[in-house]
Amino acid sequence: MKVGIIGLGSIARKHIAALRSIDPHTQFWALRHRPGSPVTPGISDLYTLPDLVAVRPDFIIISNPTAAHYETVNALASSGIPLFIEKPVFDSITHPLPQVQGMTYVACNLRFLDSLRWVKQHLTNRSINEVNVYCGSYLPEWRPQAPDWRKIYSANRDMGGGVHIDLIHEIDYVYWLFGAPQKVHKTFRNVSSLQIDAWDYANYCLEYPTFAVSIVLNYYRRDYRRTLEILLDDATWQVDLAKNTVCNLTTGQLLFESQQRFPETYEAQMHDFLHRMHTKHSEPFNTIAEAYDVLRICLE
């Protein structure tokens, strides 16, 4: 298998590790800015997009800064090469959706977390009254190896950063579980002492016909918390995404638990992508069109 990579950062290395676990013989070509970039073992460097396309990779991973996604996807739209695009798909909804001639998938690996998949399976025919989503974490601890965390894209609005779009995972899985909302209300603010220009707090209210979803996201919580709470007629389910569990808070019963850990979702995601890529007439899954709908919830 031959794989092209545009944007050889930390997230790309997670996808590379997943691919090497699935197929140790995978060959990688990375588009680099200029000769002299640090050499990465097992990855061949190329310096122009036409050179990367000429390799005819089985697919291309787009994991450069979010602000560059639109230009990159547009440049590859007519190539026919399947595109595996890191979330969020773009940083803006001001441009028309590119018409890509080939398979696209926007990587939102929380769709492959066992606890959320259990909820997806067991929500059928349940009456929902209220949904609360929360994700709070501390941005300076995201990439401890970075010389200056304030320079990473997450902290910079002009690079496509900000908690409202950087943590689009939460909005994506709400869309995946419940579909598109009828109305969206949102608030973005800088409320912490992080001293970044990107938003560090976001609050969404998504209105559905019979219930509403509250989503709170922040960059400044020191004790990491990531939860989904669903209030049903007869019970309250709480999903702890960090522990990969589902509990019934009404009875105290543990409904589901998994030993799967977050990094393993990258391999599960890649397995699914490869299966769909190699299966004729496979059902589209989180294409750029669907991811664009999610982005509109974030930004419109």
Side-chain angles (χ1 to χ4, degrees):
M1 182 165 52
K2 298 190 296 185
V3 178
I5 305 167
I6 300 176
L8 195 56
S10 59
I11 188 62
R13 297 178 192 279
K14 293 177 181 177
H15 299 316
I16 291 168
L19 280 163
R20 283 176 169 160
S21 178
I22 295 167
D23 179 3
H25 302 293
T26 301
Q27 298 174 285
F28 296 97
W29 281 264
L31 181 65
R32 310 306 297 274
H33 288 298
R34 57 187 177 276
S37 298
V39 174
T40 302
I43 298 177
S44 300
D45 292 343
L46 296 170
Y47 302 98
T48 71
L49 193 59
D51 286 343
L52 182 61
V53 171
V55 171
R56 300 309 300 176
D58 293 284
F59 69 96
I60 293 176
I61 296 172
I62 297 176
S63 51
N64 49 0
T66 305
H69 281 193
Y70 187 86
E71 180 182 358
T72 305
V73 171
N74 235 13
L76 291 167
S78 62
S79 70
I81 300 171
L83 303 180
F84 180 104
I85 307 162
E86 182 55 35
K87 65 83 188 167
V89 60
F90 307 127
D91 68 332
S92 169
I93 55 173
T94 58
H95 301 293
L97 186 66
Q99 300 303 305
V100 179
Q101 298 174 16
M103 175 184 174
T104 62
Y105 168 70
V106 178
C108 283
N109 55 303
L110 277 185
R111 294 191 183 201
F112 296 90
L113 189 70
D114 286 347
S115 52
L116 288 180
R117 293 177 79 84
W118 184 93
V119 169
K120 175 78 169 175
Q121 181 181 356
H122 289 81
L123 267 181
T124 306
N125 299 322
R126 301 301 297 260
S127 178
I128 301 170
N129 295 320
E130 177 185 321
V131 177
N132 300 299
V133 173
Y134 184 91
C135 184
S137 59
Y138 191 53
L139 182 62
E141 294 177 350
W142 280 24
R143 295 180 179 87
Q145 75 282 3
D148 185 351
W149 60 268
R150 289 186 178 87
K151 294 182 179 179
I152 65 176
Y153 88 91
S154 299
N156 292 276
R157 196 177 305 182
D158 62 354
M159 295 173 68
V163 74
H164 65 304
I165 193 169
D166 207 9
L167 293 180
I168 199 172
H169 278 299
E170 321 305 311
I171 298 167
D172 175 78
Y173 80 66
V174 166
Y175 182 98
W176 176 57
L177 291 173
F178 307 113
Q182 293 179 321
K183 293 182 181 179
V184 178
H185 311 272
K186 48 185 168 286
T187 299
F188 304 150
R189 296 181 63 189
N190 286 92
V191 299
S192 75
S193 58
L194 292 176
Q195 298 180 335
I196 59 176
D197 73 341
W199 302 121
D200 60 18
Y201 171 87
N203 189 325
Y204 293 88
C205 179
L206 279 53
E207 292 187 21
Y208 289 84
T210 60
F211 63 94
V213 178
S214 168
I215 303 174
V216 175
L217 312 171
N218 70 63
Y219 273 158
Y220 48 77
R221 186 183 178 111
R222 296 290 187 124
D223 52 311
Y224 174 58
R225 179 186 166 202
R226 200 167 205 172
T227 56
L228 161 66
E229 187 180 72
I230 304 173
L231 279 66
L232 306 167
D233 275 342
D234 58 350
T236 297
W237 292 354
Q238 185 181 68
V239 184
D240 188 321
L241 281 69
K243 296 179 180 178
N244 214 352
T245 59
V246 184
C247 292
N248 183 338
L249 296 184
T250 308
T251 64
Q253 179 185 6
L254 180 65
L255 300 175
F256 176 83
E257 65 178 334
S258 171
Q259 296 305 308
Q260 177 204 41
R261 291 297 170 246
F262 192 78
E264 297 173 48
T265 60
Y266 291 99
E267 187 172 335
Q269 172 180 246
M270 192 61 71
H271 266 296
D272 184 83
F273 173 80
L274 295 175
H275 173 75
R276 293 175 190 272
M277 188 177 72
H278 293 129
T279 302
K280 289 185 178 180
H281 311 299
S282 63
E283 183 180 351
F285 188 66
N286 209 24
T287 64
I288 62 167
E290 183 175 338
Y292 196 74
D293 286 342
V294 174
L295 189 66
R296 288 168 66 91
I297 295 172
C298 289
L299 300 179
E300 196 169 52

